Amino acid sequence: MTAATPSHSARAHSFNAAAAQYAANRPSYPPALLDAIEDLAGRSLTGARIADVGAGTGIATALLRRRGARVVAVEPGEGMAAQFRRTLPDVPVVRGDGNALPLATATADLITYAQSWHWADPARAVPEAVRVLRPGGALALWWNTSALDVPWIAEQQERIRLLFGVDAAGWKGAARDSLAADPSGRLDFTHRQVRWSRSVSLDTHLANLGSHSVFLVHGEEHSRAFLDEERTRLLALFPDGVVEETYEVELLVATTA
């Protein structure tokens, strides 16, 4: 039986109480993604002024910094911002969101949303991004999505769909759809997909699953029962306790005039 669908707001705020779990277990992104961003944005990340919006615990921010970018993080959640400061104490983080960016006009070469554009309202966030970007700047949106051509991953996602009503296939389609990203059609996005994988312990895999909003909002008891059953299933597939997670990063990049 499918669980009741929580509100968008409840899901958006659910991460604050689980910020440490999120930081410890969520996947990062491959170097090829940053190469693709540079290619589609038409500029190097080195020396670029970047606003990383919905920065969370700083997973993407850290990668951008390592590429030589000058990054300011924008994060609405108190818990996530606190974890960000512990992880990246030398990176400025300001409280706010993409619908009303707390940044001056024409000050960013690139605005990034790693796993966070779906929490913004495009009708407000697109004009705000255009305002803050310099001429020729770029807006980059991306999501780690499950590789549904891997049988065990597809089967797991189907179990999640049946219990929580979250359709991974529909989500992947929306993540690559430029009109879903900007229904106004004001920005011309280019799509690229980057496939990658990571090997993690079964505990990390389950903690990663449990850090997603659909699990967080349904409470410990409801989520724990599902995760316990997954542990049993996955141990049969991965008896050494090491899980190979495969992802497809859906990337959308648009440049301004």
Side-chain angles (χ1 to χ4, degrees):
M1 182 171 123
T2 303
T5 303
S7 71
H8 188 76
S9 176
R11 289 182 62 182
H13 288 91
S14 66
F15 300 111
N16 289 301
Q21 177 183 352
Y22 190 109
N25 300 289
R26 280 293 183 103
S28 185
Y29 307 98
L33 172 66
L34 301 185
D35 295 340
I37 293 169
E38 289 183 325
D39 183 35
L40 296 180
R43 64 159 301 145
S44 172
L45 294 174
T46 302
R49 291 187 176 274
I50 298 179
D52 188 24
V53 186
T57 62
I59 293 173
T61 309
L63 295 179
L64 295 167
R65 283 280 313 288
R66 288 186 205 125
R67 276 291 178 108
R70 293 176 287 176
V71 189
V72 59
V74 179
E75 169 54 42
E78 181 178 354
M80 297 293 264
Q83 182 65 43
F84 182 103
R85 293 187 183 100
R86 286 190 288 271
T87 305
L88 297 168
D90 59 339
V91 178
V93 55
V94 294
R95 297 288 299 282
D97 62 47
N99 297 332
L101 288 169
L103 303 170
T105 298
T107 54
D109 300 308
L110 185 67
I111 294 177
T112 58
Y113 281 81
Q115 222 79 20
S116 59
W117 182 253
H118 52 286
W119 303 120
D121 173 8
R124 299 165 64 193
V126 167
E128 274 294 270
V130 172
R131 177 185 66 81
V132 171
L133 285 169
R134 293 170 171 168
L139 174 63
L141 324 173
W142 69 87
W143 295 264
N144 266 325
T145 68
S146 299
L148 298 178
D149 60 332
V150 178
W152 77 264
I153 293 176
E155 291 164 7
Q156 182 181 77
Q157 290 299 317
E158 176 63 10
R159 291 191 290 271
I160 292 172
R161 185 191 69 80
L162 291 173
L163 183 61
F164 295 119
V166 176
D167 180 8
W171 170 248
K172 286 173 69 70
R176 66 170 71 98
D177 184 351
S178 61
L179 282 180
D182 176 19
S184 72
R186 181 172 180 176
L187 294 177
D188 184 15
F189 284 100
T190 300
H191 169 256
R192 190 168 294 180
Q193 187 181 84
V194 179
R195 189 179 178 98
W196 72 289
S197 63
R198 67 171 188 167
S199 296
V200 297
S201 70
L202 179 55
D203 285 344
T204 295
H205 172 74
L206 295 173
N208 171 30
L209 277 185
S211 75
H212 285 75
S213 61
V214 69
F215 285 89
L216 295 173
V217 298
H218 281 105
E220 174 71 18
E221 183 176 350
H222 194 64
S223 296
R224 179 53 51 195
F226 178 89
L227 295 173
D228 285 346
E229 290 178 3
E230 285 302 294
R231 179 181 296 277
T232 300
R233 289 190 180 98
L234 293 177
L235 274 174
L237 290 173
F238 304 101
D240 61 354
V242 178
V243 178
E244 180 83 1
E245 296 177 342
T246 304
Y247 295 97
E248 290 169 337
V249 186
E250 303 292 350
L251 169 67
L252 294 171
V253 177
T255 57
T256 60

